[in-house]
Amino acid sequence: MEKHVLVLLPVTEEQKQILMDMAPDAEFRFGERKTATREDVLWAHAIIGNPSGELLQGGADHLEFLQLSSAGSETYVKPGLLSENTILCNATGSYGPGIGEYMVAATLCHFRRLHIYRDQQKAHTWLNLGRSRSCEESTVLVLGAGDIGSNYAKRMKALGCYVIGVRRSKKDNDMPDCFHEMHTIDELDALLPRADAVGMALPNTQSTAGLMDARRLGLMKPGSVLINVGRGNAIVTDALMDALKNGPLGSAALDVTDPEPLPADHPLWDFDNLTITPHNNGGSTNGTKDRLFTICSENFRKYLAGEPLEQVDRLTGYKVSR
């Protein structure tokens, strides 16, 4: 049977040809997520990119392969959306270096109060804010020790920070060199008071939603920095605003928010000790785009060849080896 392949990933003409050469007998449609239709999704046996969940609802039993262009997969692991027989792969491995660099930039920005100095520049104000925090004197706590968290950890360790990792479960004799310590999420409360910066790179799962609530934010070191690049709902927004206003938080940097997009009249915009970017750091570099296509095309090749693939676990939302 002729395969129908829907590609919603932005690709160059050269990349289109690479995909078509992998399946010369297949019929391809190239488009965008925002213009994809229900008919496109019902037509496809394989999809590369992220179709709207509404388009898949109740009509995806025929879908054999779905290769996401995102590391997060929460939309697609909802019960009943995909057939149990659909191969579901995410793009873990694409975004680590790019988002890791953003997290480093955000950390240094807040350690050195560059966001405040920028505001002073706009106001034509010459005011010394006093001593700033040095990486060589700081402890960084990384929540989520996967691709993104490990890339952040590696860079912060190279700058002289003491780096602690937190992940779901212990793995004997398996601690990446970028960490000085590795712990599990049940130890988080004891770790938060130690950290000058907490970097969050967590997926959206039942166990991560609301993880940083008022109680945990209250455990953070006075003057510390909180950075979130995973999913906005991992932080309780009202509790975050209180911690930014009344302590103990010194400042925060968010590439993700709850709600998202952040409404123009939301009070989060008005915090001087907060920087916000519009969830755009995942695909913001050419290197990220190249890695994304490499991962997606290689998984597509394996699907066509019937080779084993690292799929997304429908219960946890994490990639697992199969």
Side-chain angles (χ1 to χ4, degrees):
M1 182 181 67
E2 180 185 73
K3 299 287 189 185
H4 294 166
V5 183
L6 176 64
V7 181
L8 302 178
L9 180 73
V11 289
T12 65
E13 291 301 316
E14 180 182 359
Q15 290 169 339
K16 286 182 182 180
Q17 192 61 52
I18 290 172
L19 294 173
M20 290 189 292
D21 287 346
M22 288 181 177
D25 296 327
E27 183 179 346
F28 283 78
R29 290 183 185 176
F30 294 90
E32 300 177 13
R33 172 189 169 96
K34 62 183 179 182
T35 59
T37 66
R38 173 79 167 175
E39 190 274 330
D40 289 329
V41 170
L42 294 177
W43 169 85
H45 299 111
I47 299 176
I48 302 174
N50 290 30
S52 165
E54 289 77 11
L55 298 182
L56 290 168
Q57 190 71 49
D61 289 347
H62 67 293
L63 189 63
E64 299 173 1
F65 174 73
L66 175 57
Q67 169 64 57
L68 302 178
S69 58
S70 61
S73 57
E74 62 270 15
T75 296
Y76 305 94
V77 297
K78 294 177 180 177
L81 190 67
L82 295 176
S83 164
E84 293 181 358
N85 297 319
T86 302
I87 298 170
L88 176 62
C89 298
N90 65 9
T92 294
S94 303
Y95 300 105
I99 300 181
E101 287 181 5
Y102 164 83
M103 296 177 77
V104 172
T107 305
L108 295 179
C109 173
H110 285 264
F111 273 12
R112 296 304 179 107
R113 305 180 198 174
L114 299 183
H115 56 303
I116 303 297
Y117 282 118
R118 179 66 180 184
D119 290 345
Q120 290 185 177
Q121 178 183 338
K122 289 182 177 180
H124 299 190
T125 300
W126 185 281
L127 177 63
N128 189 338
L129 297 175
R131 294 182 179 178
S132 57
R133 185 177 282 112
S134 167
C135 286
E136 293 182 345
E137 303 166 351
S138 299
T139 295
V140 172
L141 179 63
V142 183
L143 309 188
D147 176 47
I148 294 170
S150 293
N151 270 277
Y152 172 53
K154 176 173 65 176
R155 288 158 173 76
M156 295 309 296
K157 186 177 182 181
L159 289 171
C161 292
Y162 188 86
V163 185
I164 304 170
V166 173
R167 60 186 175 195
R168 285 181 301 146
S169 58
K170 290 183 178 180
K171 299 179 182 179
D172 294 338
N173 302 318
D174 181 23
M175 185 174 75
D177 292 340
C178 53
F179 296 99
H180 293 95
E181 299 178 24
M182 184 63 70
H183 299 268
T184 53
I185 199 71
D186 59 309
E187 302 170 88
L188 179 58
D189 289 3
L191 298 171
L192 288 170
R194 298 173 56 187
D196 297 287
V198 176
M200 302 178 63
L202 297 167
N204 181 8
T205 68
Q206 290 184 352
S207 62
T208 60
L211 181 71
M212 295 300 293
D213 55 13
R215 185 185 67 80
R216 285 206 171 99
L217 290 168
L219 295 174
M220 292 185 66
K221 190 175 185 177
S224 58
V225 178
L226 180 63
I227 301 161
N228 190 16
V229 299
R231 288 295 183 265
N233 69 352
I235 303 175
V236 178
T237 300
D238 287 345
L240 173 64
M241 291 191 293
D242 182 68
L244 286 169
K245 181 178 180 180
N246 301 310
L249 267 183
S251 61
L254 306 177
D255 189 47
V256 290
T257 60
D258 186 22
E260 187 176 308
L262 193 65
D265 60 351
H266 199 285
L268 263 180
W269 290 112
D270 298 321
F271 281 82
D272 293 337
N273 56 344
L274 171 67
T275 56
I276 300 172
T277 48
H279 201 162
N280 69 330
N281 280 284
S284 59
T285 69
N286 289 332
T288 298
K289 294 177 181 178
D290 291 342
R291 284 187 297 274
L292 175 60
F293 179 76
T294 297
I295 288 172
C296 290
S297 60
E298 176 60 11
N299 283 346
F300 180 57
R301 184 197 66 76
K302 289 181 177 179
Y303 151 70
L304 293 171
E307 296 179 10
L309 281 154
E310 291 187 333
Q311 299 185 42
V312 173
D313 186 305
R314 305 291 181 92
L315 295 178
T316 66
Y318 290 85
K319 183 177 74 171
V320 294
S321 297
R322 293 288 176 89

